Amino acid sequence: MSAFITLEGPEGSGKTTVLQQVAEKLATEYNIISTREPGGVNTGEQIRKILLEGEAMDERTEALLFAASRREHLVGKVIPALEENKVVLCDRYIDSSLAYQGYARGIGIEEVRSINEFAINGLYPDLTIYLDVSVEVGRNRIIKNLRQQNRLDQEDLAFHEKVVAGYHQLIKEDDNGRFVVIDADKNIDDVVNETYKSIIKYLKKL
Ligand code: TYD
């Protein structure tokens, strides 16, 4: 039995912690791998380096590079794991590009979807968990983090609100019921439990 499950959410949703804890719980029952792009796949890592360390770039170039890195990770890591009948738990996937590049950067969700559909070639996730943090709680968590780094950039907060709005649009238009929305304003233990339960519920049906 294989399954491709993605976890999505804006900064401040607790995604990284939730993913780690849920992966540990699932590993007691399932043959799972937990990954994120570029996930150690060499060409994907090199593309990511340009994205993160290179100079500021055109937003369509940025979208194309995310899609290229996605393809390398998919082919190099996700597909082989699915072929070995594993449950793949992936931190961010196509929906991140749709929300961040498509909606928040303003390229347009459908424009970004078209290059990503080329990249994923039909391999949409079976299940996508969205950690739904309210703008207010997300903003407070981000401000707290930024204070720790001693910089507060108003633009980050406006961008954050757009990312949240972008995800909400994707969920509204989710025709095949791929998304499960988890209330991520709750404390982290509750979020971990609800995420775990949703994934188990899906896996038990397979
Ligand atoms: P990362 O440090 O992995 O952040 P997080 O812990 O929030 O996942 O950096 C990923 C950043 O890149 C994050 O701000 C989201 C953004 N991103 C995109 O803009 N488009 C994408 O397709 C992906 C995968 C990530």
Side-chain angles (χ1 to χ4, degrees):
M1 182 201 69
S2 69
F4 183 25
I5 300 169
T6 59
L7 198 69
E8 295 280 355
E11 270 97 326
S13 62
K15 187 171 55 61
T16 306
T17 315
V18 170
L19 188 107
Q20 197 195 330
Q21 294 191 18
V22 168
E24 273 174 30
K25 280 161 83 89
L26 286 170
T28 62
E29 275 184 81
Y30 292 92
N31 190 359
I32 111 157
I33 73 152
S34 164
T35 187
R36 63 182 309 159
E37 296 160 352
V41 176
N42 190 33
T43 307
E45 293 284 357
Q46 290 182 42
I47 296 168
R48 179 74 159 206
K49 216 164 161 204
I50 301 170
L51 272 166
L52 297 182
E53 294 168 20
E55 289 173 18
M57 66 180 75
D58 173 78
E59 55 205 21
R60 283 175 182 250
T61 309
E62 180 185 278
L64 286 162
L65 289 177
F66 270 118
S69 166
R70 176 157 303 131
R71 173 93 195 141
E72 281 300 299
H73 175 252
L74 186 68
V75 170
K77 197 158 173 189
V78 176
I79 293 174
L82 294 173
E83 283 172 351
E84 289 169 16
N85 284 325
K86 290 186 176 158
V87 174
V88 178
L89 202 56
C90 186
D91 185 353
R92 297 194 182 282
Y93 190 56
I94 181 170
D95 302 303
S96 283
S97 281
L98 302 181
Y100 282 79
Q101 281 66 52
Y103 193 95
R105 286 244 190 272
I107 300 172
I109 287 178
E110 289 318 311
E111 298 265 62
V112 175
R113 188 189 296 281
S114 69
I115 57 161
N116 273 277
E117 286 193 337
F118 177 74
I120 70 173
N121 196 21
L123 230 166
Y124 267 95
D126 299 308
L127 175 72
T128 298
I129 303 285
Y130 176 67
L131 297 187
D132 192 25
V133 67
S134 65
V135 166
E136 203 185 1
V137 172
R139 185 198 282 133
N140 287 339
R141 288 186 188 150
I142 291 171
I143 289 173
K144 227 170 111 195
N145 288 339
L146 290 172
R147 279 212 186 113
Q148 280 161 11
Q149 293 162 25
N150 204 15
R151 73 180 167 86
L152 173 59
D153 184 353
Q154 280 303 324
E155 231 179 66
D156 279 352
L157 297 180
F159 188 73
H160 169 76
E161 290 184 15
K162 281 195 217 160
V163 169
V164 170
Y167 274 124
H168 284 175
Q169 181 151 333
L170 296 177
I171 289 158
K172 210 170 72 191
E173 292 167 359
D174 175 30
D175 292 337
N176 41 21
R178 172 167 66 85
F179 278 99
V180 168
V181 178
I182 306 279
D183 179 358
D185 283 357
K186 294 187 179 166
N187 71 59
I188 200 83
D189 289 345
D190 289 343
V191 182
V192 169
N193 271 330
E194 283 187 32
T195 303
Y196 173 72
K197 275 195 279 178
S198 302
I199 293 175
I200 288 286
K201 191 174 160 199
Y202 174 79
L203 292 175
K204 296 278 185 221
K205 276 196 270 178
L206 293 181

